[in-house]
Amino acid sequence: MLHHERDGNSIIKFSELWGVRIIHTLFFLFLFNATWSQNSSVWFTALAPVRMGNWEWHNDASYRTNAFQPEALQWFYRTGIRYYANQKWSTAAGYARFNTRDLKLNPSFQKEDRIWEEVLFTDRTNKGMWMHRFRLEQRWFQGTSTQAANFYWRPRYRISYEWKLDDQWDLQLYDEYFHHFNKQEQKLNHNRLGFFFQYNRSAAVVLNLGYTWAYRPQGNAHFFMLSLQRGYVDID
């Protein structure tokens, strides 16, 4: 995470003026989620990157629920290696194992092996930072009793803008497009539009709290996200 220096006297304390508003907003979002119970999920994610000079070992894992029920619709672990060419450009590649199910069709998980590559570009402005990410995924789905084995390519492009609100709070808005294709077909996979607040408790701990609306051919969905990131561990 890139930080921006500001004059302390010019910063309006976000926690004092907006903290209550955030709590109220999130309360109503979760309340409305009860009416979307068939098309919503809560995502719990943990990230633990390890930085070694210009290189980074990426690690993240997530548990995604069926609405507010504890049962999982998906859980995964993803890892990879990132190289920082300079302050603006980085590239990465890695592997992930996903386990996903549709409780309406099949209670058993379908396993997916995923290889991924990406390019990330960040650009600071006077008020914040633009981020552009292009990721390409190769997805191998194992067969189940109700679903055949399959393979897809999935390019995805994400654009986001991040504002520094005060010494501890950031706000990010983003949109991400996903497309699926193989030899037989190509189609829109889905599009995500959302926001999250990032609370920098310390240099070692970052908490993210956000909401995403997903447009999907099979029906729209609503994702509520809570993630905890262990700050960069630089062992250089």
Side-chain angles (χ1 to χ4, degrees):
M1 176 55 59
L2 299 176
H3 297 279
H4 309 277
E5 294 182 359
R6 289 188 177 183
D7 183 350
N9 294 328
S10 66
I11 295 175
I12 299 176
K13 287 300 182 181
F14 177 78
S15 57
E16 295 177 1
L17 298 180
W18 290 93
V20 174
R21 297 184 187 182
I22 291 175
I23 294 173
H24 288 171
T25 300
L26 292 173
F27 172 79
F28 285 111
L29 284 174
F30 279 98
L31 180 63
F32 292 152
N33 183 51
T35 65
W36 303 327
S37 58
Q38 299 303 314
N39 297 289
S40 61
S41 180
V42 180
W43 294 3
F44 300 98
T45 303
L47 302 95
V50 178
R51 185 75 176 265
M52 297 167 283
N54 290 339
W55 295 90
E56 176 187 303
W57 177 23
H58 174 92
N59 291 282
D60 73 298
S62 185
Y63 185 91
R64 300 175 176 180
T65 71
N66 174 35
F68 283 127
Q69 305 301 315
E71 57 191 353
L73 289 182
Q74 184 183 77
W75 58 274
F76 71 82
Y77 169 68
R78 178 166 42 207
T79 189
I81 298 296
R82 179 177 301 279
Y83 174 71
Y84 291 89
N86 51 49
Q87 291 185 344
K88 291 187 175 183
W89 290 95
S90 70
T91 60
Y95 166 80
R97 163 54 70 93
F98 280 70
N99 297 272
T100 309
R101 62 181 174 179
D102 186 333
L103 292 175
K104 295 180 181 179
L105 301 177
N106 189 353
S108 62
F109 286 95
Q110 183 176 31
K111 296 180 175 61
E112 173 194 348
D113 293 293
R114 183 182 303 183
I115 303 296
W116 59 276
E117 308 86 26
E118 75 173 42
V119 176
L120 176 66
F121 174 75
T122 61
D123 187 27
R124 291 190 183 189
T125 68
N126 291 333
K127 297 182 179 180
M129 180 171 62
W130 285 102
M131 287 171 280
H132 301 266
R133 185 184 74 188
F134 176 77
R135 180 179 290 177
L136 181 62
E137 299 171 329
Q138 298 84 53
R139 310 179 70 190
W140 287 269
F141 295 92
Q142 298 182 19
T144 68
S145 59
T146 59
Q147 295 172 296
N150 213 333
F151 169 79
Y152 281 96
W153 294 84
R154 187 168 73 172
R156 46 193 288 188
Y157 169 68
R158 172 180 170 132
I159 181 172
S160 62
Y161 190 78
E162 180 179 290
W163 287 269
K164 183 72 175 176
L165 300 175
D166 68 12
D167 291 334
Q168 292 185 317
W169 288 91
D170 300 329
L171 169 64
Q172 185 177 129
L173 302 180
Y174 78 93
D175 183 79
E176 186 168 13
Y177 176 81
F178 300 71
H179 198 86
H180 249 180
F181 69 92
N182 57 18
K183 293 182 178 180
Q184 290 75 38
E185 62 178 333
Q186 63 169 308
K187 59 185 178 180
L188 163 71
N189 184 233
H190 66 283
N191 190 88
R192 296 177 186 170
L193 178 65
F195 69 89
F196 65 81
F197 290 100
Q198 180 170 278
Y199 177 58
N200 303 283
R201 178 64 181 84
S202 67
V205 178
V206 178
L207 178 68
N208 292 317
L209 188 64
Y211 164 77
T212 291
W213 172 74
Y215 170 79
R216 306 182 302 179
Q218 69 270 33
N220 299 336
H222 308 271
F223 306 140
F224 297 87
M225 298 171 290
L226 176 63
S227 67
L228 182 65
Q229 176 173 323
R230 175 71 170 85
Y232 286 115
V233 180
D234 196 332
I235 61 175
D236 190 21

